[in-house]
Amino acid sequence: MADPRYKRIVLKLSGEALAGEQGYGIDPNVIQSIAVQLKEVIEMDVQVAIVVGGGNIWRGMAGSAKGMDRATADYMGMLATVMNSLALQDALETEGVPSRVQTSIEMRQVAEPYIRRRAIRHLEKGRVVIFASGTGNPYFSTDTTAALRAAEIEADVILMAKNKVDGVYSADPSQDPDAVKYESLTYLDVLNQGLGVMDSTASSLCMDNDIPLIVFNIEGTGNIRRVIQGEPIGTLVRGNV
């Protein structure tokens, strides 16, 4: 097995990725397959941190659009990410992978509070660290959380896992047959072309801190391992050409 190109990663999982074909809630088969892939990566001595979204349970923007107070809607979304994180932790523990959930909103009965040095120590001990409840602040997405946590723990790369697309395209490939897949991009390309890889706050944070991003399809067997070993199966987004 090839040596890993990256030694410390942040894996960004959308809530939709956990829902599978049903489109909502948590699909046990999907979450277990992700845990199996992560076990394979941990056995390569790669340090893994995860940021989980909550869109499979609740989307703050959707609630806000229907008249709900934006801050309240976003806090509800943060709680949804905690539910997903606990489900992922359970799947990892079933596979024998030690893990810790750290939340930006304190709820000590179910998870640790986020403490940067403690998170790094867990990673150094071979534990998967799952960052839940976003940044703890409304108006910030889990994409921004992934960028922020990657900068804080000095991760080598952010892996953005998708479940319906295998990279970044010039248009939606499900609607435009002429859409072109990009092999590599810069963050300025993403911002200037409005490609929607991640929100502008997250993109700017990654660009400013020179954190590379790889967008790939998580559905293929062993895809997380393949990306970590450097196989070109997605789209690489960098700060500089």
Side-chain angles (χ1 to χ4, degrees), residues 168-200:
V168 181
Y169 285 77
S170 58
D172 187 342
S174 65
Q175 298 181 8
D176 185 351
D178 296 323
V180 177
K181 179 184 175 183
Y182 296 108
E183 297 299 323
S184 64
L185 291 163
T186 67
Y187 284 109
L188 280 177
D189 293 332
V190 171
L191 291 168
N192 291 335
Q193 297 179 41
L195 293 174
V197 178
M198 51 178 21
D199 62 73
S200 58

Side-chain angles (χ1 to χ4, degrees), residues 31 48-53 78-93 97-115 118-119 122-123 127-134 149:
I31 208 164
V48 179
I50 304 173
V51 173
V52 188
M78 293 177 212
L79 297 179
T81 71
V82 176
M83 296 172 67
N84 284 337
S85 297
L86 292 175
L88 182 57
Q89 181 185 40
D90 181 75
L92 287 166
E93 298 282 352
V97 179
S99 60
R100 298 290 187 273
V101 175
Q102 291 196 344
T103 60
S104 301
I105 300 173
E106 283 201 25
M107 45 188 78
R108 291 178 181 271
Q109 287 83 352
V110 296
E112 298 177 0
Y114 170 66
I115 299 172
R118 181 181 292 178
H122 286 320
L123 293 171
R127 299 166 183 155
V128 174
V129 180
I130 306 169
F131 297 122
S133 65
R149 297 290 182 253

